[in-house]
Amino acid sequence: GIQVEQSPPDLILQEGANSTLRCNFSDSVNNLQWFHQNPWGQLINLFYIPSGTKQNGRLSATTVATERYSLLYISSSQTTDSGVYFCAVLTGANSKLTFGKGITLSVRP
Amino acid sequence: DAMVIQNPRYQVTQFGKPVTLSCSQTLNHNVMYWYQQKSSQAPKLLFHYYDKDFNNEADTPDNFQSRRPNTSFCFLDIRSPGLGDAAMYLCATSRDPGTSGGANEQFFGPGTRLTVL
């Protein structure tokens, strides 16, 4: 099956700093989603981005499908950005979202 | 607002005592999924319904069952919970995973955190 790797596994930032989170995947995909899992466990949809670039406030994402990677950019980080960020992909072969292991982000005041 | 709702948010059960978790959606999506997420791990798909068609993952234990009485509701039944079943259970929906474009985007509910005593 498809492999999804996220890096770095852990990230500590000072409030106001910028960061880039990476997701590599091993096969072509029909769907790539970025999620933020908050401290209460809810998975919040950040981006649906199988290709191209999108922006939403301080967050933006780019997926280069031909090179099989996606990047999530967080600018001017805030303490509320803390949590786990998951990248998940869906291939044409089945309905199953395959998740990476997640990136744990801690933003310190 | 259209959404995915899970009840209860927290559930405590005893070892071996059957428990049912519920999920409802106002998105009118064809597909409903149940994921299990253990501490510090990624969500793991247990099974999904495409309309009334049930699709079980090969490694989902028989202890886990599901029902979808109508488009809006889906239930997860754990027949005899063990200590290893303590986890967050996440319900998700999508319109059509077999297509490209936004129809295969998945939306998650807030989850039910299950404790087994």
Side-chain angles (χ1 to χ4, degrees):
Chain A
I2 191 168
Q3 305 298 313
V4 181
E5 295 181 359
Q6 293 186 246
S7 60
D10 301 282
L11 190 56
I12 300 174
L13 298 176
Q14 205 65 33
E15 197 169 26
N18 303 330
S19 63
T20 301
L21 285 61
R22 188 177 180 101
C23 173
N24 292 334
F25 45 96
S26 61
D27 204 348
S28 59
V29 299
N30 285 350
N31 172 0
L32 187 146
Q33 293 183 244
W34 281 99
F35 298 94
H36 175 213
Q37 190 162 40
N38 64 23
W40 297 272
Q42 183 163 8
L43 279 172
I44 309 295
N45 288 39
L46 296 178
F47 293 101
Y48 171 83
I49 188 164
S51 64
T53 297
K54 291 185 177 179
Q55 179 152 9
N56 184 3
R58 296 182 295 104
L59 303 182
S60 63
T62 295
T63 298
V64 183
T66 52
E67 297 187 21
R68 298 182 182 166
Y69 72 88
S70 183
L71 302 175
L72 177 68
Y73 306 97
I74 304 175
S75 64
S76 303
S77 59
Q78 300 176 358
T79 56
T80 52
D81 295 331
S82 298
V84 182
Y85 289 80
F86 286 103
C87 166
V89 302
L90 189 148
T91 68
N94 57 49
S95 312
K96 180 178 176 179
L97 261 185
T98 299
F99 283 79
K101 292 185 176 180
I103 295 170
T104 301
L105 174 65
S106 298
V107 180
R108 295 180 173 171
Chain B
D1 286 342
M3 57 175 54
V4 183
I5 302 160
Q6 290 188 245
N7 286 303
R9 295 292 307 276
Y10 300 91
Q11 176 74 56
V12 179
T13 190
Q14 292 180 336
F15 183 94
K17 184 174 181 182
V19 66
T20 295
L21 309 182
S22 73
C23 176
S24 63
Q25 53 129 343
T26 61
L27 297 162
N28 202 31
H29 281 173
N30 297 325
V31 192
M32 296 185 77
Y33 308 82
W34 280 104
Y35 291 84
Q36 179 193 62
Q37 186 180 23
K38 295 188 176 180
S39 181
S40 301
Q41 296 183 18
K44 177 180 178 295
L45 183 65
L46 295 173
F47 27 58
H48 74 275
Y49 272 96
Y50 194 138
D51 293 327
K52 293 186 177 181
D53 293 333
F54 178 70
N55 298 272
N56 199 27
E57 292 298 301
D59 56 356
T60 298
D62 292 341
N63 196 27
F64 292 87
Q65 305 285 320
S66 186
R67 297 170 283 133
R68 190 179 185 185
N70 55 52
T71 300
S72 300
F73 284 87
C74 195
F75 299 98
L76 170 62
D77 300 308
I78 308 176
R79 294 192 295 186
S80 181
L83 298 179
D85 296 328
M88 174 73 90
Y89 290 88
L90 296 162
C91 175
T93 72
S94 71
R95 202 158 67 236
D96 188 345
T99 61
S100 57
N104 58 31
E105 184 176 4
Q106 291 193 20
F107 297 86
F108 283 78
T112 295
R113 192 173 296 277
L114 178 68
T115 300
V116 182
L117 300 178

